[in-house]
Amino acid sequence: MMPSRYRRSLLALLSCLALAACGDDNRAERLKAAGPNPSLDALMRVADADAGARTFGQCLACHTIGKGELDRAGPNLHGIMGKPVAGGSARFGYTAALMGVGGRWDRATMNRWLTSPQRFAPGTKMTFPGLPDPLARADVIAYLEREGRE
């Protein structure tokens, strides 16, 4: 039998692949509008918070996003943008690896985290393998920004 941490990683990867196949009818147009080899800023200009919400669906296994909702295996992410790294929830027990990173959750920092949590903070308990698609990361960031205002 496969250890539970590997099962969770495999499930996260399968969820990521399944969601990538779900409809973002204007994805090609958005990528074209961002230009060749787009920067994070260019991707953020074409980011779609609704597409980010669909991708964020896989995060809901461990995170909540609603204002005042309780933490799960991961912290509540409502209003995370602009908060200190490892400081979004006063109730959550962050790893020393994440607490040692410092800084605040801005677009660039969140993009690095979403690319590969393990590379961002070696030793983090987060088993999510990351989002390889830069547009999907921009969409999730747009969603996190939107949800933080509501």
Side-chain angles (χ1 to χ4, degrees), residues 9 20 23 42 66 78 88 98 100 109 111 115 131 135 138 147:
S9 294
H78 180 79
L98 194 57
T109 304
N111 185 56
T115 299
L131 288 172
L135 183 57
E147 292 305 302

Side-chain angles (χ1 to χ4, degrees), residues 3-22:
S4 65
R5 72 174 189 257
Y6 295 118
R7 272 196 312 271
R8 285 192 307 268
S9 294
L10 180 60
L11 288 173
L13 179 60
L14 291 174
S15 295
C16 191
L17 293 173
L19 286 169
C22 292

Side-chain angles (χ1 to χ4, degrees), residues 15-16 19-20 50-60 128 131 136-137 139-140:
S15 295
C16 191
L19 286 169
D50 290 334
R54 288 189 296 276
T55 302
F56 190 84
Q58 63 192 298
C59 307
L60 291 172
F128 179 67
L131 288 172
R137 292 193 304 269
D139 290 342
V140 169

Side-chain angles (χ1 to χ4, degrees), residues 127-146:
T127 60
F128 179 67
L131 288 172
D133 180 355
L135 183 57
R137 292 193 304 269
D139 290 342
V140 169
I141 293 167
Y143 173 68
L144 291 171
E145 289 177 340
R146 183 181 77 189

